[in-house]
Amino acid sequence: MGIKQLFGQSKITELTEINQLHFPKLNQPLLPLDNNKNYNNIPFHNEFLMIYGKVNWNNEKGSFQIFDTSKINVKKVIAGEQFILILSNNGKCYLFDTNNKENIPILLKWTVDEPIENIFGHDYLILLTKKGELFTFKSQNGSYLAALENNYLQNKIDLKKINYEKIIDIDCGNEFYLILTENNNIYGFGSNYCGQLGTNEGSSYEENNTTFKKANTKNIKSKIIKVYCTYNTSIILTEDGKCYACGDSTYSADGQLDKNYNEKSNFKLIPNLENEFIEKVIPGLFFVGLKAKSGKYFVFGYNNYCQFGRSDTIPQGNVQGPRLLNTFNSYDIEEMECGGYNTTIVTKNRDVYITGLGSDAPFYPVKTTDGFVNLNLKNYIQHEAFIPNSKMKLKLAMGRYFGVIYSIVDVPKNVWNFKRSIKLNDLDLIIGSDESVVSECEFMDDIY
């Protein structure tokens, strides 16, 4: 029982419920939540996942569904070109496939016995198991479910191809992906038409589709900690907060000031960030955001649909080289995600803002030049138990023409607070010459 057709000021008064062990089978309807039931007293029962926009490009209009994910215990969600993959903390995966006519996520049964540690995707869909095994999938006749369910072992990667090096990180672009290993090596697979694999070997997808290529990173002296991919550009982040990019420069998604430099297959330092320590790269289709340790955000790349809004320094068009994000209060950003032609922001107060292309999803603003627009989740979620509160953390994932907003329980680390503590007594230890305890002397202080 999917929920669709939300446009304008329409509201939802019903959520769809996920079965405790798996999503319902295709011939079983999703069960709505009971509007008369008080969910507020049920611990951790306010986690939800909202899918909005055009997951299937053939749809004329966007739609959305909301799922109760309280029993799933979501760890991570990725949005590919035309799929959504949900990873639970116990390693199970659920696939939302555009060719699934029921529009519900399906449990990948083999992940029950082969728990998954991490997931990645764009047009490739990649799963890394807790045992360190790697599986990569491509759609079969437009469907990922068939590839993931039928003979999945055929999609297991022989780690000999990357010299059995331990995998640290993976990211996917269009028809290619990068693997970072603990040896500080990057291995690329797939299309290298724009030099996005960090090597000048091969220049087409066909020439690279059966072998891994090792990127040339000799000019990078620091340890590499993350890899990121746009449609046809690659970016790496080092432990000293520097970013390097290679690949296509057509849309300025490589962050370079010179669009005409010749060595596009070599990772080159992204300029204008000398005084910043970059903590995170946020890649979109042809545009990129950067989060700095200072709390500032920088953006560059394709801004034709005002994916970052518009200002005197962030024009509508290609933004060449990193520019300070001044169309939104950077210090109020908790999380930012870039998609196909839109950017979504979650603030520290758990408000959600969206800007960019306005014609492909119900939540996007009508005009692309209006800047960021407040989504106001309360207009769409009527159950108080599911409206994000201080115990929840909102997370984002974005595909080409759609997005995902989901909540997880924010479990803070145990921090001792001695401000209101009362000292009851002290214990002195008298240590002998051989460092053994000779005697103990206990005394009471005044209690205050």
Side-chain angles (χ1 to χ4, degrees):
M1 181 178 177
I3 299 175
K4 303 180 180 179
Q5 199 175 353
L6 175 71
F7 300 94
Q9 297 300 316
S10 301
K11 296 183 179 180
I12 278 190
T13 57
E14 181 179 84
L15 293 174
T16 49
E17 185 176 28
I18 292 174
N19 184 282
Q20 182 175 2
L21 298 178
H22 54 77
F23 287 79
K25 296 179 181 178
L26 289 177
N27 59 355
Q28 294 178 339
L30 291 173
L31 301 176
L33 294 182
D34 185 351
N35 288 326
N36 297 316
K37 187 174 181 179
N38 181 10
Y39 291 101
N40 291 315
N41 296 325
I42 301 178
F44 309 119
H45 205 288
N46 53 351
E47 295 182 39
F48 71 88
L49 182 143
M50 176 186 293
I51 301 171
Y52 62 91
K54 289 172 57 175
V55 183
N56 190 325
W57 297 355
N58 295 322
N59 290 343
E60 293 184 1
K61 294 182 178 180
S63 61
F64 80 89
Q65 296 171 275
I66 304 177
F67 297 95
D68 167 16
T69 53
S70 304
K71 298 177 182 178
I72 296 299
N73 197 7
V74 174
K75 176 182 179 180
K76 181 180 179 181
V77 177
I78 60 169
E81 284 282 84
Q82 296 191 72
F83 70 85
I84 296 166
L85 192 63
I86 303 166
L87 174 65
S88 69
N89 275 302
N90 60 9
K92 296 177 184 177
C93 284
Y94 304 83
L95 177 69
F96 187 100
D97 194 319
T98 59
N99 285 281
N100 176 7
K101 296 181 180 179
E102 298 294 326
N103 280 335
I104 58 173
I106 301 296
L107 172 69
L108 302 179
K109 297 178 182 178
W110 64 272
T111 63
V112 176
D113 299 320
E114 293 280 353
I116 304 303
E117 178 66 26
N118 210 342
I119 54 177
F120 315 88
H122 184 76
D123 51 0
Y124 276 98
L125 193 158
I126 301 179
L127 288 78
L128 180 64
T129 71
K130 292 182 180 293
K131 293 189 295 185
E133 296 175 330
L134 188 67
F135 295 85
T136 66
F137 302 89
K138 290 285 296 233
S139 65
Q140 296 179 359
N141 298 321
S143 172
Y144 285 88
L145 185 60
L148 284 157
E149 281 292 302
N150 301 329
N151 300 319
Y152 73 92
L153 287 173
Q154 294 181 2
N155 295 279
K156 184 177 177 180
I157 298 298
D158 183 1
L159 297 183
K160 181 180 179 180
K161 297 178 179 179
I162 60 171
N163 299 315
Y164 299 106
E165 295 175 24
K166 183 179 178 181
I167 297 172
I168 300 300
D169 192 30
I170 300 173
D171 204 17
C172 306
N174 181 60
E175 300 289 349
F176 79 99
Y177 60 88
L178 301 179
I179 297 176
L180 171 65
T181 71
E182 65 177 352
N183 294 31
N184 215 39
N185 292 324
I186 295 176
Y187 295 91
F189 184 91
S191 173
N192 195 34
Y193 186 74
C194 300
Q196 61 265 49
L197 299 187
T199 174
N200 57 12
E201 294 185 51
S203 60
S204 70
Y205 174 73
E206 289 74 17
E207 292 182 44
N208 290 272
N209 62 357
T210 59
T211 59
F212 283 90
K213 303 295 182 183
K214 187 176 178 180
N216 180 9
T217 58
K218 293 181 179 179
N219 63 311
I220 301 171
K221 306 305 180 183
S222 301
K223 182 178 180 181
I224 302 169
I225 58 174
K226 293 284 290 183
V227 290
Y228 302 89
C229 301
T230 71
Y231 188 84
N232 48 15
T233 305
S234 299
I235 301 174
I236 60 179
L237 177 64
T238 60
E239 64 179 356
D240 58 352
K242 302 300 181 185
C243 292
Y244 299 78
C246 69
D248 185 45
S249 61
T250 305
Y251 299 97
S252 303
D254 58 354
Q256 302 298 329
L257 299 175
D258 180 10
K259 292 181 64 175
N260 299 314
Y261 74 97
N262 296 321
E263 298 178 351
K264 298 184 184 300
S265 61
N266 291 337
F267 282 101
K268 187 176 181 180
L269 180 68
I270 295 179
N272 290 359
L273 298 169
E274 291 78 7
N275 298 322
E276 298 291 341
F277 186 102
I278 302 303
E279 293 183 325
K280 183 180 180 181
V281 179
I282 309 163
L285 192 65
F286 299 111
F287 59 105
V288 178
L290 303 174
K291 178 185 178 183
K293 189 175 183 179
S294 63
K296 299 175 184 177
Y297 281 75
F298 297 85
V299 298
F300 56 86
Y302 193 60
N303 197 45
N304 282 32
Y305 298 102
C306 297
Q307 292 94 315
F308 293 121
R310 185 175 65 172
S311 70
D312 293 339
T313 56
I314 303 177
Q316 185 173 2
N318 284 9
V319 177
Q320 201 164 325
R323 309 282 182 88
L324 182 67
L325 178 66
N326 56 12
T327 56
F328 200 92
N329 181 5
S330 291
Y331 298 101
D332 194 32
I333 297 176
E334 181 68 25
E335 181 160 343
M336 184 168 80
E337 188 74 15
C338 299
Y341 303 98
N342 299 85
T343 298
T344 307
I345 285 176
V346 174
T347 69
K348 290 179 168 54
N349 290 329
R350 294 168 297 282
D351 291 325
V352 180
Y353 289 81
I354 295 179
T355 188
L357 185 64
S359 61
D360 290 292
F363 292 157
Y364 296 160
V366 176
K367 297 180 180 179
T368 61
T369 56
D370 286 342
F372 287 90
V373 175
N374 191 339
L375 172 58
N376 196 354
L377 290 180
K378 291 183 179 180
N379 283 346
Y380 309 102
I381 304 175
Q382 296 300 295
H383 278 288
E384 288 294 329
F386 291 87
I387 295 175
N389 55 43
S390 60
K391 296 181 181 179
M392 307 305 296
K393 180 178 291 187
L394 284 184
K395 307 289 287 182
L396 304 168
M398 296 196 76
R400 177 77 70 97
Y401 296 112
F402 67 94
V404 180
I405 302 171
Y406 63 103
S407 63
I408 58 175
V409 176
D410 188 10
V411 181
K413 296 180 180 179
N414 292 328
V415 178
W416 291 103
N417 185 350
F418 291 96
K419 287 184 178 180
R420 301 184 63 184
S421 62
I422 299 175
K423 184 170 69 172
L424 297 179
N425 61 65
D426 284 334
L427 182 66
D428 278 356
L429 299 180
I430 301 175
I431 308 299
S433 58
D434 59 352
E435 297 188 352
S436 62
V437 177
V438 177
S439 64
E440 300 177 358
C441 178
E442 184 175 353
F443 59 92
M444 292 291 294
D445 268 358
D446 295 333
I447 297 177
Y448 55 91

